[in-house]
Each structure stands twice: as structure tokens, then as C-alpha cells.
Amino acid sequence: MKNFFTTKNLVKTAMVAAIYGALTLFISPIAYGPIQLRLTEVMVLLAFIDFGYVPGLVLGCVIANLFSPIGIADVVFGSLATFIAVIMVSKTKNLLLATLWPSIVNGLIIALELYFISKVPFWLSFGEVAIGEFIVVTCIGYPVFRSFLKDERLVKFLKFD
């Protein structure tokens, strides 16, 4: 069994969390609300390469959601959505199928959150969030990670100890 608590793994986790959190704030023009296009969501596919990325991705989402206009509910439910999505990504053996989990999970959970808090129609919100996730994770992330997976040295580098 892997020891995830090595210095190298803890640094990698902290770096992923910091990068996700900071870049969500600075490069994602539409990162919150019913229409979301978080470019940092492409990082969730790191969990496809190694389960060890799950804590860093979730912590990064917590950091990013601390700045959400929806408040603490987005910290809780948005981060829960990311947690479930990256677990599903890590358990899926096919990269293309793995890219669909963030669209489905975030679409459902964020749509429910927005429906109860902001009174945004559920299906409209589901569609907007799911499409944003699909664009980033599937349309952008899939070809990027498919090329990553062809480079054995890069995959080995990205793996946790």
C-alpha cells in the first residue's frame, strides 16, 4: 500500500490545491453561479492518473469556493460535488468516460444548490453547469490528458510515490 504522507506527496497535494484555487480566481472568468466555465476543472483528470490527487483537488475547490458569491453553501456543496466527481474519475478505467463524471455530478449537485439558494430553475441550471464542465473537462481535458497518457515518463512523473 502506498504511503501518501511522504514529503513529496504532501508538497504535490499542496501545489495542486494552490494551483486550482488560485487559477480559478484569476483565469476563470465565469467560475461561479449558474453559468460556470472553470478552466481549472481540467485538473480533475489528474485523479485518472493517480488517486493521490483527490485530496489536493478537493482542497483546491474548497479554496476557490471560499470566494463564491453563494457563500459557505458553495464551499460545502461545490466541494462535495468535486469530491464525488474525482472519486468517480479515479475509479473509471476509460478516460473518455471518466471525463463525463464532473459534468454529471456537478450538474446535479450545483443545480440543486442553485435551485434551493438562488431559486434558479433546476433543469436550466443543470444544463448550464453540465455544459460548462463538458466543454472544459471533455472537450479540452480529454485530448490533453490523452496525449499525457502516451508519454510514459510524464505519467511516471505525475504518479504519487
Side-chain angles (χ1 to χ4, degrees):
M1 180 173 196
K2 293 181 184 180
N3 178 10
F4 288 107
F5 297 105
T6 66
T7 301
K8 181 180 174 185
N9 289 346
L10 291 174
V11 168
K12 205 179 266 191
T13 297
M15 286 176 53
V16 167
I19 291 167
Y20 183 102
L23 288 181
T24 298
L25 294 172
F26 295 114
I27 69 163
S28 293
I30 308 171
Y32 307 100
I35 299 175
Q36 296 186 9
L37 198 63
R38 277 191 189 188
L39 299 176
T40 49
E41 278 293 290
V42 76
M43 292 176 67
V44 301
L45 293 178
L46 287 167
F48 184 82
I49 292 174
D50 198 301
F51 183 83
Y53 284 101
V54 170
L57 292 165
V58 174
L59 181 57
C61 184
V62 168
I63 292 167
N65 287 345
L66 288 171
F67 299 92
S68 170
I70 294 176
I72 194 69
D74 210 19
V75 174
V76 173
F77 295 107
S79 303
L80 174 65
T82 294
F83 175 71
I84 294 169
V86 293
I87 292 290
M88 298 306 293
V89 166
S90 75
K91 300 297 181 197
T92 304
K93 300 298 182 206
N94 178 286
L95 179 62
L96 182 59
L97 293 176
T99 69
L100 300 177
W101 288 116
S103 298
I104 296 166
V105 174
N106 281 289
L108 289 170
I109 293 176
I110 303 306
L112 283 169
E113 174 188 0
L114 293 170
Y115 175 77
F116 285 111
I117 293 172
S118 302
K119 306 301 181 226
V120 176
F122 174 81
W123 288 112
L124 175 64
S125 183
F126 173 82
E128 292 169 341
V129 171
I131 288 170
E133 288 284 332
F134 184 81
I135 290 168
V136 173
V137 181
T138 305
C139 296
I140 296 171
Y142 175 71
V144 169
F145 274 79
R146 198 174 85 200
S147 68
F148 284 2
L149 293 172
K150 290 178 183 176
D151 185 340
E152 290 179 29
R153 289 187 317 170
L154 177 59
V155 171
K156 185 177 180 192
F157 173 77
L158 290 172
K159 293 255 185 204
F160 274 63
D161 291 332

